[in-house]
Amino acid sequence: MQMTDRNAIRTEWDKFSHLLKRQEIPAKTTLLQEGKISKTMFFIEKGCLRTWVNNEGKEITTQFFFEGDSVSSVESFRTNQPSLYSIESLEPCILQTISQKDFQNIIENTPELKTQLEDHLFKRFFQSQQLLYSFLKNNPKQRYEELIEQHPHIIQRIPQHYIASYLGITSVSLSRIRNRR
Amino acid sequence: MQMTDRNAIRTEWDKFSHLLKRQEIPAKTTLLQEGKISKTMFFIEKGCLRTWVNNEGKEITTQFFFEGDSVSSVESFRTNQPSLYSIESLEPCILQTISQKDFQNIIENTPELKTQLEDHLFKRFFQSQQLLYSFLKNNPKQRYEELIEQHPHIIQRIPQHYIASYLGITSVSLSRIRNRR
DNA sequence: TGCATTTCTTTACAATTGTTATCGTTTAAT
DNA sequence: ATTAAACGATAACAATTGTAAAGAAATGCA
């Protein structure tokens, strides 16, 4: 999964701002390709990103990220294994980036941040589980309504066909759900 | 989510076997009720357990555990929050149990084990994510075939209606999938 | 062994979803 | 401003799933 905890970790990282590099990218820019090893972590200053996996030629979006979020292929970043998903911009973005090497140095030499990172990962784990439960408990319509309730900014900002795959359905089906009743 | 990493953590824990209590329970025994705070971790010596959530009166099984697995409501155990699911035996079991207090003492005083626990949690996080991807990528039939391939012992040992809810479908639908082709 | 419970299958029907395609509309880039 | 690309809605049809009910088969316990 990815890191994303608005304003929580980011503020701590400001102490190491000299290790950050500013980067501007247009929309639809690939920051990490599925199968490659993640060597960079991104902080979103402006814009939004998504992660997605290729499933038999079709793109499935697995997560969205916005201003204040930190994004990387966490497993790949941590274990040097190939990433299971791609990271891509959905809008023109301003990013701050840090290398894996610098990141690991900071973590190893700052116990406080290490603890914070572990707590952060634990929270992400918890959220991932909650999302899984939503698939077990709810049908597509219910998941869509849950998304409206819990993450209205996603509905407002992201094109629907990305949201559809994020919900595990086709864009046709999402359009039907929206225009029912 | 729950801990489960056959023979990995367990062997380390043998050093603290004097803190473990042996417990024998019949099938269908509730070890932790949804909404309660988890104060115990279980190691399965013999038998199997499941975790499940209540969804509008219907039970949805979220995970299965077997010999060598360690089981607790990890989030509840770690944060003292009410558990989101129940833990229940599916067969008569022999368990070894350790209290939250003893567990935390060991973790805090054994850096090696603390690191091991964090790695373990990271792996669980990764698995939880993989499972989520399976829901995004595959239809029920594909998920069932994936389960046969990756966890055949579950198919062999667990009644089908539990497996059905674990796959996010009804037992009727699973029966149909099995008897197609 | 016998009985009760649990488990699995099957049927019929309604509802939902996937697929493919078409067609406006909106958005973005030059 | 014009053109191309992206996006969303809709239709028709096949396939899948949920629901409710009934019954067969397997299991567990007295």
Side-chain angles (χ1 to χ4, degrees):
Chain A
M1 189 68 62
Q2 304 74 27
M3 295 188 52
T4 172
D5 196 0
R6 233 145 298 186
N7 309 326
I9 289 217
R10 180 62 222 279
T11 48
E12 278 294 328
W13 283 101
D14 286 345
K15 297 173 192 167
F16 303 95
S17 57
H18 59 286
L19 296 173
L20 297 176
K21 283 182 192 165
R22 184 186 157 95
Q23 191 180 359
E24 289 199 35
I25 56 167
K28 308 223 173 187
T29 304
T30 297
L31 295 169
L32 174 68
Q33 201 170 27
E34 186 178 334
K36 305 274 183 177
I37 295 170
S38 174
K39 296 291 183 190
T40 312
M41 179 173 283
F42 307 95
F43 297 101
I44 305 180
E45 202 171 297
K46 179 71 188 142
C48 67
L49 306 178
R50 69 163 180 147
T51 52
W52 62 276
V53 296
N54 184 317
N55 189 43
E56 296 173 6
K58 292 185 180 175
E59 298 187 2
I60 298 178
T61 297
T62 56
Q63 214 167 346
F64 301 106
F65 302 89
F66 303 93
E67 285 83 3
D69 287 342
S70 48
V71 186
S72 77
S73 177
V74 183
E75 320 79 356
S76 176
F77 197 77
R78 177 165 170 147
T79 64
N80 273 310
Q81 297 291 313
S83 173
L84 295 172
Y85 45 83
S86 299
I87 302 177
E88 184 189 280
S89 60
L90 288 174
E91 301 175 359
C93 292
I94 302 172
L95 307 172
Q96 298 288 344
T97 71
I98 185 171
S99 73
Q100 183 190 40
K101 194 178 160 188
D102 286 339
F103 182 86
Q104 284 173 349
N105 271 338
I106 293 171
I107 291 299
E108 290 311 316
N109 297 315
T110 321
E112 187 203 332
L113 274 184
K114 182 166 182 150
T115 302
Q116 203 172 313
L117 176 65
E118 297 297 353
D119 282 351
H120 178 78
L121 284 173
F122 191 77
K123 267 187 206 154
R124 295 296 308 151
F125 170 55
F126 188 74
Q127 287 167 14
S128 167
Q129 191 175 237
Q130 291 293 95
L131 206 50
L132 184 61
Y133 284 11
S134 176
F135 273 86
L136 290 170
K137 287 180 163 181
N138 304 321
N139 60 34
K141 183 183 179 178
Q142 291 169 322
R143 285 203 299 282
Y144 178 65
E145 286 165 353
E146 191 178 76
L147 186 64
I148 291 177
E149 199 183 323
Q150 294 180 5
H151 304 286
H153 59 288
I154 292 183
I155 309 288
Q156 293 157 7
R157 197 162 168 185
I158 308 286
Q160 272 177 40
H161 66 284
Y162 293 118
I163 295 176
S165 75
Y166 176 75
L167 291 172
I169 58 179
T170 62
S171 59
V172 176
S173 189
L174 178 56
S175 177
R176 277 191 291 232
I177 288 171
R178 282 167 44 85
N179 295 79
R180 249 181 235 160
R181 117 186 47 211
Chain B
M1 188 67 64
Q2 304 72 29
M3 296 188 52
T4 172
D5 196 0
R6 233 144 297 187
N7 310 325
I9 290 220
R10 180 61 222 278
T11 48
E12 277 295 326
W13 284 102
D14 286 345
K15 297 172 190 166
F16 304 95
S17 56
H18 60 286
L19 296 173
L20 297 176
K21 284 182 192 166
R22 185 187 156 96
Q23 191 179 0
E24 289 199 33
I25 57 167
K28 307 220 174 189
T29 303
T30 296
L31 294 169
L32 174 67
Q33 202 171 26
E34 186 177 333
K36 305 274 183 177
I37 296 170
S38 173
K39 296 292 184 189
T40 312
M41 179 173 283
F42 307 95
F43 297 102
I44 306 180
E45 203 171 297
K46 177 73 189 143
C48 67
L49 306 178
R50 69 163 180 147
T51 52
W52 62 275
V53 295
N54 185 316
N55 188 43
E56 295 174 8
K58 293 185 180 176
E59 297 186 2
I60 298 177
T61 298
T62 55
Q63 216 168 344
F64 302 106
F65 302 89
F66 303 93
E67 286 83 2
D69 287 341
S70 48
V71 186
S72 77
S73 178
V74 182
E75 319 80 358
S76 177
F77 197 78
R78 177 165 169 148
T79 64
N80 272 310
Q81 297 292 313
S83 173
L84 295 173
Y85 46 82
S86 299
I87 302 177
E88 183 188 281
S89 60
L90 288 174
E91 301 175 359
C93 292
I94 302 172
L95 307 172
Q96 298 288 343
T97 72
I98 186 170
S99 72
Q100 183 191 39
K101 195 176 157 188
D102 287 340
F103 181 86
Q104 284 172 348
N105 270 338
I106 293 171
I107 291 299
E108 289 311 316
N109 297 314
T110 321
E112 186 204 332
L113 274 183
K114 183 168 182 147
T115 302
Q116 203 172 312
L117 176 65
E118 297 296 353
D119 282 349
H120 178 78
L121 284 173
F122 190 77
K123 268 187 205 154
R124 295 296 308 151
F125 170 56
F126 188 74
Q127 287 166 13
S128 167
Q129 190 175 237
Q130 291 293 95
L131 206 50
L132 184 61
Y133 283 12
S134 178
F135 273 86
L136 290 170
K137 287 180 163 180
N138 304 320
N139 60 33
K141 182 182 180 179
Q142 291 169 322
R143 285 203 300 281
Y144 179 66
E145 286 165 352
E146 191 178 76
L147 187 64
I148 292 177
E149 198 183 323
Q150 294 180 6
H151 304 287
H153 59 287
I154 292 183
I155 310 287
Q156 293 156 6
R157 197 163 167 182
I158 307 287
Q160 272 175 38
H161 65 285
Y162 293 118
I163 295 176
S165 76
Y166 176 75
L167 291 171
I169 57 178
T170 62
S171 60
V172 175
S173 190
L174 178 55
S175 177
R176 278 192 289 233
I177 288 172
R178 283 167 44 84
N179 296 80
R180 247 181 237 160
R181 120 186 48 207

